[in-house]
Amino acid sequence: RDEKAVLKGEKAAASAKAKGELGETKKAKAADEKLKADIEATFKAKSAVYEQNQVVRKQELEAIAKATEIISSPAVADSYATHINFVQAPPVSFLQTGRFRRRLSAAQRASELLGKRAKALNSKALAALAAKAAAAPNFGKVIDMIEQLVERLKQEAAAEADHKAWCDEQLKANKLKRNKKTAE
């Protein structure tokens, strides 16, 4: 009879211990599932932002390429050289004033194109470039600014790609850890 009472007590203690461990395991599982959901939500949000940034970056590069094409066209380059001569030479011919107007119109077209694309893409970088292009009479400076912007955009894209790769790596590692703990 005493053995049965001892055995019953041991089983009750083991049962209580198992129930306690079950409760702790359920709490840990719930916390892990919440963490997983949070990580997946963060991943989806960051992936969506990354994809959106890639689209905007592609459109910015296209707009910059078009502006560069306009600025580096022969008509603009010739009118720039004429404009420099126009400023240095006191007498002004009718042909020089016409070329100056064409150069202005090409610069204005490039600036307007950048401005329109900046508004369409809601891009502060393109808007700043459009403002500088409209204010700067020196095409060399504008071309340098465009090249700097392209380089900066490429660096940002590379940094985002690196960050995305790191996030993907972390998610994979977390998944492996979860699977390992689940298997135990």
Side-chain angles (χ1 to χ4, degrees):
R1 190 167 189 176
D2 288 335
E3 286 181 28
K4 285 183 182 182
V6 171
L7 186 59
K8 187 176 180 183
E10 288 176 357
K11 285 185 181 183
S15 175
K17 181 180 176 186
K19 285 180 183 179
E21 288 176 356
L22 178 64
E24 290 176 15
T25 303
K26 284 183 178 181
K27 287 179 187 177
K29 181 183 176 197
D32 288 345
E33 287 175 348
K34 183 183 182 303
L35 176 64
K36 178 186 174 200
D38 290 346
I39 289 172
E40 287 175 348
T42 302
F43 173 74
K44 286 180 183 178
K46 286 187 178 187
S47 291
V49 168
Y50 174 79
E51 293 300 326
Q52 184 181 17
N53 286 347
Q54 292 302 324
V55 169
V56 170
R57 187 162 285 110
K58 180 181 176 188
Q59 292 171 342
E60 285 176 340
L61 290 173
E62 289 171 0
I64 290 171
K66 182 68 175 171
T68 304
E69 179 183 322
I70 291 170
I71 290 173
S72 57
S73 70
V76 175
D78 291 341
S79 67
Y80 176 71
T82 303
H83 174 66
I84 295 299
N85 291 336
F86 171 71
V87 172
Q88 293 172 349
V92 177
S93 73
F94 180 71
L95 291 175
Q96 287 176 327
T97 59
R99 287 181 183 157
F100 178 71
R101 286 188 189 122
R102 274 192 308 225
R103 185 195 65 76
L104 275 181
S105 66
Q108 288 171 344
R109 283 187 317 202
S111 177
E112 288 172 5
L113 173 72
L114 288 172
K116 286 178 186 176
R117 295 306 298 165
K119 286 180 184 175
L121 300 173
N122 196 17
S123 171
K124 292 179 184 176
L126 276 181
L129 182 62
K132 287 181 181 179
N138 186 347
F139 284 120
K141 289 182 181 178
V142 173
I143 291 171
D144 287 342
M145 287 187 300
I146 289 173
E147 289 173 351
Q148 289 172 358
L149 181 60
V150 168
E151 184 62 32
R152 193 179 88 234
L153 290 172
K154 287 179 181 178
Q155 289 173 352
E156 286 176 5
E160 283 184 10
D162 289 344
H163 184 70
K164 184 176 185 323
W166 178 82
C167 287
D168 290 343
E169 182 182 312
Q170 293 299 312
L171 284 172
K172 184 178 178 183
N174 285 341
K175 183 178 180 182
L176 291 173
K177 285 180 184 177
R178 277 194 316 274
N179 290 342
K180 184 179 178 182
K181 287 189 176 188
T182 303
E184 292 175 355

